[in-house]
Amino acid sequence: MTDGKLPLIAKVATTASKTAAALSRAAGRGDGSVIGGWIGLKIDPDLLAHLSSGRAVALVSGTNGKTTTTRFTAAAIGVLGRVATNSYGANMPTGHTSALAKEGHTPFAVLEVDEHYMAQVIEATRPRVVALLNLSRDQLDRAKEVAMMAQMWKTTLGQHPDIRVVANSDDPMVVWSASSSPQVTWFSAGQRWQDDSFVCPESGHPIERSGGDWWCTGCPLRRPKPQWSVEDEGVIDPRGDWHLVKLQLPGRVNIGNAATALAVAAEFGVRPIEALPRLARVTSIAGRYAQVERDGRNIRLLLAKNPASWLEAFDMAEQAPTLLSINARDPDGMDTSWLYDVDFSPLRDGRPVLITGDRAYDLAVRLQVNQVPFRHVQSFDEALASVPPGRLEVIANYTAFQDIRAELDRVN
Amino acid sequence: MSTESLRIVWIYPDLLSTYGDRGNLLILAHRAAARGIPVETYEVRSDQQMPTTADVYLIGGGEDGPQAAAAQRLITDGGLHRAVNQGAAVLAICAGYQLFGHSFFAKGQKCAGLGLLDLYSDRGPTRAVGELRGDIDPRLGLPALTGFENHGGRTHLGPNATPLAKVTAGIGNGDQTEGAWAGKILGTYSHGPALARNPAIADLLLRWSTGADRLAPLDDAWAERLRGERLAAAASPA
Ligand SMILES: [Zn+2]
C-alpha cells in the first residue's frame, strides 16, 4: 500500500504527526518521537494500524536489550529494503506511530515494544515476527509482576498462531510465554540474571540449573534446544555454521543481541553473512555506549536500568574512574530498593568511584554496606573536574542517563 | 546469642526476594561485623529444612504465588515456630509480614498464615504505593520510621499485637497504623531494604539477639542524610 491509499483521516493524522514532531525538535523539546505520534493518534485512533498495513513488521520486546536488538535487527533487515524503526527507544504506541509516519512508506518495520504494550501493538501492527528477549524485575513500584507479564505474553501469542516467535531459550519465563505459539525459533543469548526465574511459572516448582541447561523439577517445562546460539565471539546458525561477530558495541551481551537480530532477520530471508557487516557499523544507540571527548576525558556512557543491566554494565566497564548516577523519577520507577539486588563489588578494584544524581544518598548507603569507597559529587561537571584525563566510565539509570546525555549535547 | 557468633537466617530468598530484600541481610551483617560481632548468614531455600537455632530470621516481600507457597511450606516445616518460641528475633517485610498473621489474601483466596503475630490481612480498595513515614511505638525508643510501601493489602491487628508505628504519611496497615510488633517480632510494610533507611531498627534486632544493652555507635552520616531526605519527601507528597 502507498500513502495514496491511506484513509483520509489517516493522511490528515500522519501530516499532523510529522508537523508536531518537527516543531518539537525545532523547539528543542526532545527528538519529537513521542509528541508527533500522540497528536496523530488523537486525530485517528487507528493510525498505527493504518500505517502498519502493507509493511512486513517485526516487534522486539523484553526487559533488557530491546533498543540495541531493535537497532541490530533494523540494520540486518535493511539488506532487503528500507526499514522504519523507532530508534530512540520511544517504545509505546505513540512512538511507533511517529516512527512509521516519519519514514513514509517502507516495505519493512522493526519496532521496539514496551513489555506492557505487546498485546495492543500486536493487534495494531499484525507483525510477521515477534522477538522475546527476557523478563526480569524492572520499575518495582508500578511494573506488572514478572509472572503476570509472562502470562500476558502467553495469552496474546496463543491468540495469534500466525506469528513467528523468536524467543530466548535461556529464560524460563520467556520459554513459558512462547509455549502458546505453534511456531517458535529458539535462540540462546544467555541469562546472567536468574533471580526472577527460580520458580516455574507453570507448576510453581523449583527450577534447576546446570551449566547452560535448566529444567522444572515438577513439570515438563525445560530449556528447548536453540537453533541459534552464541559461542566464543560468534554465533552458530541453524545449519551449524559459526559466524564471527565483530561489533563496535562492547560486551558479551551485545553478541547475544546480535544473535537475536540475525535470527529475526533470517525469518525475513536475510542470511547472517549479508547482515553481519551491517551490525558491525552500529556504533551507539540514543547515547548508549557513546564515547565523547570532553576536557581531555574520554567519557563512555553505559545505561543500566535494572539489576540485570547493571550486571552487564559492570561486565563492560573498564577499570577506570567510574561515575554512577541514580534518579528515581517517573520513567525510572520511584523505588530504589533494587540497589540491593545489585552487587557493586566489581567496583571494589581500586578505581575511583564517584556518585551523583537525585538519589545519590540511597546509593551512598548501598555502597557503604558493599564496602565500595566512593565520593559524592553535586554535578556532572564536578565529576569531570575530579578525575584525571583519560577514560571515565559513566553508568546511570534512565533519567540520570538522559540528564548526562543532555550535558553532552544529546550525544547519540 | 546462643553460640559464639550471631546467626542470621534469610528465609526463602528463592520465593520472597522481589524488592532488594537481600539488603536487610547485608545491612544487619555489616552492622554486626562493624561492632566486632562474628556473624554467620544462611540463605535457606524453600526446599531446605528451616534451622531452629538461629538468632535472627529475616523474611521479605514477594508476589502472590510465592507468598502462598512460602506460608504453606513454613507451616509444614514448623522450624520457624520453634525458633520464635525459643526467642529468636524476626524482621518480616510486606508479604512476609502478612504471612506472619493468622490469614492473608493471595490470588483471590484466603490463605492460612503462621499465626505468629495476632493479625490478619485482606485486600484494600487501592494499591498503596509511595513514601511511608510513621512515629514508632515509644516503648521501642526508636526514631521515626521511613520507608517505601507497595502493597494491595490491609492489615488488622488483634489485641496481642501492637502497631509498630503511627502513620504520619502513607497508608501502612490502612487504619493510620503501620506494621506490628510482639515480643521480638517486627513486621512492617516498609518494603525491601527497610533497614537501609532505619539503621536503628537493625540495631534493635542486634540488641535483642545479643542481649547487649547498647552497641558502639557507627558512622551513620550517609544514612542520616538519606533519612533526612526521605522524611522530608514524605512530608510533601508529590
Ligand atoms: Zn514446572
Side-chain angles (χ1 to χ4, degrees), chain A residues 115-184:
Chain A
E115 308 86 275
H116 301 76
Y117 287 86
M118 278 285 270
Q120 189 185 338
V121 176
I122 282 176
E123 286 304 330
T125 62
R126 298 287 160 168
R128 185 188 292 183
V129 180
V130 167
L132 307 178
L133 309 185
N134 47 60
L135 277 175
S136 68
R137 62 190 68 183
D138 190 32
Q139 298 189 331
L140 298 180
D141 60 320
R142 65 144 183 264
K144 279 206 162 52
E145 295 174 346
V146 169
M148 282 171 67
M149 188 78 75
Q151 177 66 63
M152 202 173 72
W153 282 9
K154 184 168 184 267
T155 305
T156 302
L157 294 171
Q159 290 160 352
H160 295 274
D162 50 317
I163 296 174
R164 165 66 63 172
V165 176
V166 175
N168 185 358
S169 62
D170 294 332
D171 186 330
M173 303 310 271
V174 165
V175 170
W176 183 68
S177 295
S179 66
S180 62
S181 167
Q183 39 174 348
V184 186

Side-chain angles (χ1 to χ4, degrees), chain A residues 15-341:
Chain A
T15 309
S17 168
K18 282 191 209 173
T19 309
L23 284 173
S24 168
R25 279 193 297 275
R29 303 244 302 270
D31 47 44
S33 53
V34 171
I35 184 74
W38 185 80
I39 287 176
L41 286 169
K42 279 275 168 208
I43 298 171
D44 176 6
D46 293 327
L47 185 56
L48 182 55
H50 285 136
L51 289 171
S52 302
S53 166
R55 300 188 216 234
V57 176
L59 304 181
V60 178
S61 195
T63 309
N64 287 312
K66 51 187 181 289
T67 303
T68 306
T69 304
T70 298
R71 171 62 71 91
F72 280 158
T73 305
I77 292 177
V79 167
L80 302 174
R82 285 179 58 223
V83 181
T85 184
N86 51 338
S87 50
Y88 290 95
N91 59 18
M92 299 179 203
T94 46
H96 304 140
T97 305
S98 286
L100 297 184
K102 194 174 111 197
E103 280 306 311
H105 182 72
T106 60
F108 303 98
V110 179
L111 299 176
E112 168 189 341
V113 184
D114 181 282
E115 308 86 275
H116 301 76
Y117 287 86
M118 278 285 270
Q120 189 185 338
V121 176
I122 282 176
E123 286 304 330
T125 62
R126 298 287 160 168
R128 185 188 292 183
V129 180
V130 167
L132 307 178
L133 309 185
N134 47 60
L135 277 175
S136 68
R137 62 190 68 183
D138 190 32
Q139 298 189 331
L140 298 180
D141 60 320
R142 65 144 183 264
K144 279 206 162 52
E145 295 174 346
V146 169
M148 282 171 67
M149 188 78 75
Q151 177 66 63
M152 202 173 72
W153 282 9
K154 184 168 184 267
T155 305
T156 302
L157 294 171
Q159 290 160 352
H160 295 274
D162 50 317
I163 296 174
R164 165 66 63 172
V165 176
V166 175
N168 185 358
S169 62
D170 294 332
D171 186 330
M173 303 310 271
V174 165
V175 170
W176 183 68
S177 295
S179 66
S180 62
S181 167
Q183 39 174 348
V184 186
T185 301
W186 301 105
F187 65 89
S188 163
Q191 186 196 30
R192 185 162 298 155
W193 175 264
Q194 302 178 336
D195 286 25
D196 292 308
S197 48
F198 282 138
V199 177
C200 173
E202 176 69 30
S203 67
H205 286 86
I207 282 173
E208 292 278 351
R209 288 185 166 83
S210 172
D213 200 9
W214 61 264
W215 60 94
C216 174
T217 53
C219 82
L221 191 74
R222 63 173 307 142
R223 180 177 183 264
K225 194 171 157 16
Q227 285 98 321
W228 296 80
S229 54
V230 172
E231 192 174 294
D232 303 323
E233 300 298 302
V235 171
I236 300 176
D237 72 17
R239 293 181 5 191
D241 293 339
W242 182 83
H243 306 271
L244 176 67
V245 176
K246 279 192 179 157
L247 300 174
Q248 300 194 45
L249 306 190
R252 189 175 165 80
V253 65
N254 280 318
I255 299 182
N257 291 336
T260 311
L262 294 176
V264 175
E267 301 295 343
F268 289 79
V270 179
R271 292 180 302 148
I273 195 165
E274 302 169 300
L276 281 164
R278 288 169 163 265
L279 303 194
R281 289 202 290 273
V282 175
T283 49
S284 71
I285 299 135
R288 295 160 172 81
Y289 313 112
Q291 296 194 44
V292 186
E293 292 291 332
R294 174 73 59 101
D295 303 336
R297 277 77 175 171
N298 174 245
I299 305 154
R300 182 163 67 168
L301 301 182
L302 299 170
L303 175 69
K305 299 182 296 184
N306 49 46
S309 56
W310 278 87
L311 296 187
E312 285 155 9
F314 293 150
D315 185 49
M316 294 173 203
E318 288 172 21
Q319 188 185 355
T322 301
L323 173 68
L324 310 177
S325 185
I326 301 293
N327 288 350
R329 298 180 201 160
D330 199 47
D332 307 307
M334 311 295 280
D335 181 5
T336 56
S337 295
W338 58 268
L339 284 169
Y340 291 83
D341 286 327

